[in-house]
Amino acid sequence: MADMTPEAAWAAAMAYKNRPNPYPFFDELRKTPVVHVGGGLYVVTGYRELLALAHDPRISSDTRRLKARRDGVEGNVSEYGEHGTMINSDPPEHDRMRRQAMRHFGPPDSPYVIADMEPLIQKLCNDSLDKIKASGKRRFDVVDDYGYPVPVAVICKLLGVPMEDEPKFHVWVHDFMAGIMDVGPDMNTEEGKARHERGVTSAEAFANYTAGLIQGYLKKPTDCMFSKLVNEDGPDGPMSVREANINANLLLIAGHDSTVNTISNCVMCMLRTPGCLELLKSRPDLIPGAIEEALRMQASVQFFPSRSATHDIEIGGTVIPKGSPVHLMYGAANRDPLRFPNPNTFDPARQDNQHFGWGSGIHTCFGGPLARLEVNIAFETFLRRVENPRLVCDPPPYRQSNVFRGPEHLLIDVDGIRN
Amino acid sequence: MSTSALVADAVSSFKANGRIVIVGASLAGLRAAEALRDEGFAGKLTLIGDEKREPYDRPPLSKQVLKGWVPADHTMLPRSREIDAEWHLGIAATGLDRKTKNVRLANGDLIPYDRLLIATGVRSRPWFNKEEAKLKGLFTIRTSDDAEALQKALAAKPKRVLIIGAGFIGSEMASVCRELKLEVTVAERADAPLIGALGGVIGKIAAEMQRDHGVDLRTGVSVEKLEGDAARHVRRAKLSDGTTLDVDVVVASLGSLRNVEWLEGAGLATGFWGVGCDAGCRAFDINGVVTDSIFVAGDIARAPHVLYEYQFMSAEHWDNAVIGARVAAHNMVSLEPDRRPHLLVPQFWSGQFGVNIKGTGVQSFGDEVVITQGSVKERRFAAAYGKRGRIVGAVTFNHGKWLEYYTALIEKSAPFPPPSPGYDVPTDTKPVPAEFPDVRAPTELPTVVLTGHDPTDRGAAFAPARRR
Amino acid sequence: MRIVFDLNRCLGYAQCIPLAPDVLKLNGEEAVMYDPNPDDSQRQGVLRAAASCPVQAIMVDFADNGKETKS
């Protein structure tokens, strides 16, 4: 394509019409791996540069720094709350909150919580496929019929969110993703502004909902993560109610939404690659690596727009001025040819695959091990039971969000579902 | 034929028909063998190791093995591929004849080579008193056999363990003792644990960590005498502070001796600090002439490092063995201009007292230290070391995700002190003298040492500790 | 099985441990401790754990990987 300005390449990469394939525009942007794209915003699409900045203590994730700016900044994430969750805070608060949450979720204090969920995950996967089998339909949606039900049930069980509330919060999450977790020039249209309004309203309702759950657990403690967060003691103490309210919100959304995208992306990448289905069926030991490769190709969180520079930072032939918002573009850097040979090829046996699909640095995905367990089991079960799956429509229709990017629906035709 | 064609011919001919002998069948030896096959070397490959076991990993020996979680013979190293080599295990190399190009084994066998890799590593420095060294219950730790014996001794619930030397390994063992709820005394001649590697300022923090976990830490103290019972089992230790301890298990963690004895008479640049080689792993001879056919990798190598004034660096580090082995292997089957340098910013890790200590660079090259991020009190922080306004090293305590930022600064010889972070700024950010001990003072031997500019090691200044 | 961690590469992300908690443990908040020669029954968890490492610090023996022999 003809040379584009960084502004134009950024706008094209973020535009909904390019949601199925923004990568050529990322390649264009990557000609300058750290580049100003207008409005004071810097985006990082080079692998080496992203790796360096993700470990640079002069890069802040505290969105209060962005709120201080008023000029042309895509600061849509302030709706995560005044004080800050794990995702939009810095050390020492970030580190402390992460420890407080991890105490009930993973090592060193709770190393078996995730592994203990394996039977439930397996059952949910089988139940979803049994349901499809019982319906007799030969065409189903990997998102709505398989990819979505499993993670949402798992996270509700873990956190202590009643499944009967799912129809309610499903709508709030959808509006939040579509109206707040979408950045770029589309948001400046009438349609975009309306979407944003709806997103703000839904986010508020959702925040009140999770706060209500926390309140309930303060009164009646139970054996679930939301309850333990505010009731159980530890070296850092229980989480304060205020912090628990907003972190609960984060854990519920982040705890299932991107997992859905990952499951769909695994199936999509596999079915797009001739011979891959047969390879993975005959070599199930390749499945964990194939999942990572799917995340490299199609990062479920393409970037998270919380970061800014606290000092002038010289990198990639540029100086990022102090105070600038900085987006670390995981999805783009994952395709950097300087780091990954044949970057646009899905290679399930790819070696040395240190990708950014889970982020990088201290904010690396908190729920990663749980998500991986879910996706491993979901993908294995799919391969074992679904007969001759074929993509119906490629590219599939995409969700609105360019941050939490994934297929809205992924229709496949099958010959049947094995027992 | 052009020179480049001659060179290409020589290389491919060697790759097809050459004979390579690797003396030393542990981490460096194994990784070199794998790398040689990866490079397309198809000739005869021989590995010689004085231990009977297949190559195994040593770091777990002072941690999960000692704790009793994992058996001592349970740390076999994974391999990346088939090697197709002739193995001589349980047989030491006792001599090197460079004229006839043979390695002599303890059983008299001669192993011929076209190119040789020396990877014989180090052994534990034994207890200085030969009679006392024979006491039962007195241990050093290097091999899996050592670890097995010590693991058994700790599992028998001794009343008190005495660890002599508070370097990384000594400190790790003290930590394991406390996890096993054993009473443990640590005797360290210098003013603080880890002082040779990290200096007194950080050493003070390490000392607090030990005491916080109930270690009876005695600094500035040496062990003058060990006494045994009628069954010749160690029972008492007399310390230089005038006290006598009742002890059932004594571990001498006094540092390492390079296994260079077998190279005596071979005319190579060998000495206390190992075998001198160039930055491409080729050994120097005793006159400072680089050899063509002898290479060195692992704990036993000392090579010039561009970031440290080209001083010869000796590094007992895991990645030095792995990466040095790979570079040596590549260079063994290459000629100019395809040879590569082994230039690694040294890194280490040590898990002790619930803290993951990680380091990058050569901390002891610096004279100042500054806490750059986090909280010393909480044992979660990063610190940088500087020399003449440039950063030369860094260390993190439970703050490892930030370490590579400092590695990048070291590689660039960036200014010291480094820019302050955007958050979690420590209360005191003024650089202070790092308090490294005088190189002539008695202390544990640090794991990375800069030994001057003499390739042949004769000028390397080390004065063995004078006993008080 | 044979595994080894490159503990210099390891930064304590601990993405691996919950996938094979019998074999991998966290000592304190950052130091991983592991069984270098786990039983074959742990294979699936170990392979999942190895794939999960963001810095690819876990090496698994080629014979355990089900890969073709490189020779």
Side-chain angles (χ1 to χ4, degrees):
Chain A
M1 72 177 72
D3 271 351
M4 299 174 84
T5 63
E7 288 85 348
W10 173 246
M14 293 295 102
Y16 181 70
K17 71 173 194 282
N18 293 318
R19 196 72 77 247
N21 189 15
Y23 299 105
F25 304 104
F26 287 142
D27 289 344
E28 188 61 33
L29 267 175
R30 203 184 302 107
K31 288 178 179 167
T32 313
V34 178
V35 70
H36 177 239
V37 295
L41 168 66
Y42 282 75
V43 302
V44 181
T45 51
Y47 183 94
R48 213 167 65 141
E49 292 77 11
L50 196 155
L51 185 67
L53 289 172
H55 293 82
D56 192 320
R58 296 166 300 175
I59 292 283
S60 167
S61 291
D62 190 334
T63 45
R64 288 176 294 183
R65 297 180 198 264
L66 292 175
K67 283 178 77 174
R69 287 179 66 110
R70 287 283 167 247
D71 50 315
V73 164
E74 342 263 356
N76 286 331
V77 294
S78 55
E79 282 73 12
Y80 264 130
E82 272 304 319
H83 184 98
T85 62
M86 289 191 282
I87 205 167
N88 58 1
S89 299
D90 292 329
E93 291 82 17
H94 158 272
D95 292 359
R96 181 201 23 90
M97 285 191 278
R98 191 163 170 138
R99 282 196 303 270
Q100 286 169 315
M102 189 56 86
R103 197 172 158 71
H104 314 292
F105 179 63
D109 299 293
S110 303
Y112 283 91
V113 165
I114 291 166
D116 285 349
M117 302 202 81
E118 176 148 1
L120 170 67
I121 298 167
Q122 183 64 77
K123 179 171 190 311
L124 288 163
C125 290
N126 280 328
D127 285 353
S128 297
L129 289 179
D130 288 345
K131 202 161 148 199
I132 297 167
K133 186 184 169 80
S135 75
K137 57 184 188 182
R138 290 273 193 266
R139 172 175 291 193
F140 70 90
D141 182 356
V142 176
V143 178
D144 287 348
D145 298 332
Y146 188 62
Y148 179 76
V150 176
V152 77
V154 171
I155 200 67
C156 283
K157 177 91 189 359
L158 175 74
L159 297 178
V161 175
M163 268 303 279
E164 50 267 28
D165 292 341
E166 186 271 336
K168 214 168 33 175
F169 69 70
H170 181 78
V171 177
W172 293 327
V173 173
H174 173 273
D175 291 346
F176 170 80
M177 288 295 172
I180 294 173
M181 284 296 133
D182 192 39
V183 311
D186 286 354
M187 296 311 289
N188 292 329
T189 63
E190 281 309 306
E191 182 271 332
K193 288 184 184 147
R195 229 187 319 125
H196 182 77
E197 282 304 307
R198 203 160 50 242
V200 171
T201 315
S202 288
E204 213 176 280
F206 190 30
N208 289 333
Y209 169 72
T210 46
L213 289 177
I214 295 289
Q215 273 304 311
Y217 287 125
L218 275 169
K219 297 201 187 83
K220 273 196 4 207
T222 24
D223 183 25
C224 68
M225 203 165 145
F226 276 0
S227 178
K228 290 180 184 161
L229 214 49
V230 282
N231 290 313
E232 287 196 15
D233 209 347
D236 295 298
M239 205 178 254
S240 73
V241 175
R242 192 160 71 119
E243 284 182 350
N245 284 343
I246 34 169
N247 278 295
N249 203 266
L250 169 67
L251 288 171
L252 179 48
I253 299 187
H256 76 280
D257 191 78
S258 355
T259 319
V260 178
N261 285 334
T262 306
I263 294 172
S264 339
N265 283 326
C266 282
V267 173
M268 186 180 77
C269 286
M270 173 179 68
L271 296 181
R272 277 178 174 173
T273 308
C276 187
L277 174 69
E278 293 73 25
L279 175 66
L280 293 179
K281 280 168 92 99
S282 66
R283 295 276 311 274
D285 57 292
L286 289 179
I287 289 172
I291 293 169
E292 299 301 324
E293 175 69 341
L295 275 165
R296 183 191 68 79
M297 288 282 286
Q298 309 285 356
S300 301
V301 180
Q302 289 277 307
F303 60 106
F304 195 76
S306 59
R307 291 179 171 81
S308 58
T310 63
H311 294 61
D312 287 353
I313 299 180
E314 190 181 333
I315 182 151
T318 307
V319 175
I320 304 175
K322 173 176 168 165
S324 307
V326 180
H327 293 347
L328 302 181
M329 308 299 296
Y330 307 123
N334 277 351
R335 302 275 191 123
D336 188 342
L338 291 177
R339 175 59 178 82
F340 296 106
N342 302 313
N344 298 317
T345 302
F346 178 74
D347 174 9
R350 187 178 284 269
Q351 298 291 294
D352 193 27
N353 194 0
Q354 300 178 34
H355 64 89
F356 295 131
W358 304 94
S360 184
I362 61 169
H363 291 276
T364 296
C365 183
F366 174 87
L370 176 61
R372 281 188 186 83
L373 187 60
E374 291 177 41
V375 179
N376 264 282
I377 294 173
F379 201 28
E380 279 166 22
T381 308
F382 182 94
L383 282 162
R384 218 173 30 239
R385 296 188 58 186
V386 177
E387 291 175 333
N388 194 18
R390 287 99 60 200
L391 289 173
V392 169
C393 142
D394 191 8
Y398 266 78
R399 307 160 98 209
Q400 180 66 48
S401 173
N402 46 27
V403 175
F404 291 88
R405 175 180 165 271
E408 174 101 43
H409 300 291
L410 188 70
L411 288 178
I412 58 171
D413 284 334
V414 303
D415 290 350
I417 311 258
R418 262 181 229 114
N419 278 333
Chain B
M1 229 183 186
S2 72
T3 311
S4 59
L6 278 168
V7 166
D9 222 38
V11 168
S12 62
S13 166
F14 180 73
K15 278 186 175 173
N17 305 311
R19 294 166 306 177
I20 291 184
V21 172
I22 300 176
V23 184
S26 187
L27 180 64
L30 175 64
R31 295 293 178 239
E34 290 170 345
L36 281 167
R37 292 303 188 207
D38 280 345
E39 293 272 349
F41 176 71
K44 186 160 157 58
L45 184 56
T46 307
L47 280 125
I48 301 165
D50 68 347
E51 288 189 73
K52 287 200 190 70
R53 323 243 342 265
E54 284 178 69
Y56 62 88
D57 200 33
R58 295 191 201 279
L61 299 177
S62 61
K63 296 176 269 287
Q64 51 266 51
V65 168
L66 221 50
K67 248 182 104 155
W69 177 34
V70 160
D73 59 357
H74 217 66
T75 73
M76 312 298 280
L77 280 165
R79 302 189 188 181
S80 63
R81 58 168 303 140
E82 291 282 6
I83 294 169
D84 184 24
E86 187 178 277
W87 294 79
H88 298 269
L89 292 179
I91 308 175
T94 51
L96 176 65
D97 185 337
R98 285 172 59 209
K99 281 207 184 64
T100 61
K101 293 183 118 174
N102 276 299
V103 174
R104 197 177 319 115
L105 301 187
N107 62 4
D109 283 356
L110 292 175
I111 311 288
Y113 67 87
D114 294 318
R115 287 196 154 179
L116 173 74
L117 176 66
I118 298 170
T120 46
V122 303
R123 63 187 185 279
S124 288
R125 174 180 285 277
W127 184 241
F128 63 85
N129 181 307
K130 286 206 172 62
E131 276 311 302
E132 292 172 13
K134 294 187 197 144
L135 287 170
K136 285 181 277 211
L138 170 59
F139 301 91
T140 56
I141 186 160
R142 174 73 186 172
T143 66
S144 60
D145 287 345
D146 296 340
E148 185 170 28
L150 183 53
Q151 180 199 68
K152 278 205 186 76
L154 294 182
K157 301 226 184 307
K159 285 203 273 306
R160 177 167 295 275
V161 178
L162 170 64
I163 296 176
I164 309 174
F168 288 110
I169 304 292
S171 302
E172 284 175 5
M173 290 193 285
S175 178
V176 169
C177 285
R178 290 308 295 148
E179 285 176 65
L180 293 172
K181 308 232 190 314
L182 300 172
E183 293 299 320
V184 57
T185 300
V186 173
E188 166 55 52
R189 286 181 302 196
D191 292 337
L194 313 185
I195 198 171
L198 300 178
V201 172
I202 303 297
K204 181 158 161 280
I205 301 168
E208 282 169 15
M209 274 164 47
Q210 294 211 9
R211 294 191 171 111
D212 286 347
H213 280 80
V215 172
D216 170 32
L217 173 66
R218 317 267 184 109
T219 53
V221 163
S222 63
V223 175
E224 305 203 311
K225 198 168 194 293
L226 294 173
E227 289 172 357
D229 59 19
R232 306 238 48 205
H233 193 288
V234 71
R235 290 298 169 206
R236 259 178 326 277
K238 286 202 157 81
L239 308 188
S240 63
D241 63 4
T243 60
T244 299
L245 290 172
D246 289 328
V247 294
D248 306 311
V249 170
V250 178
V251 188
S253 183
L254 307 173
S256 313
L257 296 173
R258 272 76 177 156
N259 291 322
V260 292
E261 288 79 6
W262 71 281
L263 294 165
E264 239 173 74
L268 293 176
T270 56
F272 182 85
W273 292 113
V275 183
C277 61
D278 74 353
C281 310
R282 291 178 307 174
F284 279 106
D285 78 6
I286 197 132
N287 296 308
V289 179
V290 78
T291 61
D292 295 315
S293 55
I294 303 178
F295 293 73
V296 199
D299 290 348
I300 203 170
R302 49 185 291 270
H305 200 297
V306 63
L307 279 179
Y308 299 100
E309 298 171 344
Y310 288 101
Q311 285 198 49
F312 279 78
M313 178 183 298
S314 167
E316 287 176 74
H317 287 168
W318 199 87
D319 56 345
N320 181 59
V322 170
I323 296 172
R326 214 176 284 157
V327 173
H330 171 83
N331 291 344
M332 285 175 97
V333 296
S334 308
L335 292 174
E336 197 182 341
D338 294 321
R339 284 195 293 260
R340 291 202 288 257
H342 173 45
L343 286 176
L344 188 64
V345 176
Q347 313 244 307
F348 74 81
W349 78 87
S350 176
Q352 49 179 272
F353 305 105
V355 176
N356 191 30
I357 304 176
K358 284 172 77 75
T360 183
V362 182
Q363 295 80 9
S364 58
F365 192 60
D367 25 56
E368 287 189 296
V369 69
V370 63
I371 309 293
T372 50
Q373 291 174 251
S375 155
V376 165
K377 193 159 79 90
E378 290 184 19
R379 317 293 186 223
R380 297 180 181 119
F381 65 91
Y385 293 76
K387 185 186 189 74
R388 292 200 286 265
R390 301 268 141 205
I391 183 173
V392 297
V395 71
T396 57
F397 277 49
N398 277 349
H399 239 50
K401 296 178 191 69
W402 299 108
L403 196 72
E404 47 193 85
Y405 169 67
Y406 295 96
T407 302
L409 294 178
I410 292 163
E411 281 170 345
K412 289 194 295 236
S413 286
F416 174 91
S420 89
Y423 37 79
D424 209 13
V425 182
T427 39
D428 187 354
T429 54
K430 194 164 149 308
V432 296
E435 295 176 12
F436 282 100
D438 188 319
V439 289
R440 291 159 302 176
T443 179
E444 98 280 3
L445 298 168
T447 49
V448 61
V449 188
L450 294 167
T451 62
H453 292 97
D454 181 348
T456 65
D457 197 359
R458 281 185 299 235
F462 174 79
R466 272 182 299 285
R467 286 179 29 234
R468 280 176 236 187
Chain C
M1 295 192 77
R2 297 181 184 194
I3 65 175
V4 74
F5 273 62
D6 182 335
L7 289 170
N8 288 306
R9 273 200 196 188
C10 175
L11 303 182
Y13 282 114
Q15 298 283 311
C16 54
I17 292 166
L19 294 167
D22 288 338
V23 174
L24 312 175
K25 312 221 184 259
L26 200 60
N27 204 334
E29 44 196 63
E30 204 179 273
V32 70
M33 213 163 47
Y34 63 99
D35 180 348
N37 296 152
D39 191 68
D40 241 43
S41 62
Q42 297 283 348
R43 232 177 83 92
Q44 186 180 57
V46 170
L47 291 181
R48 285 176 181 167
S52 78
C53 179
V55 295
Q56 290 291 281
I58 306 174
M59 178 186 177
V60 179
D61 194 288
F62 75 98
D64 294 318
N65 249 332
K67 283 210 270 281
E68 283 89 50
T69 303
K70 261 201 284 187
S71 53

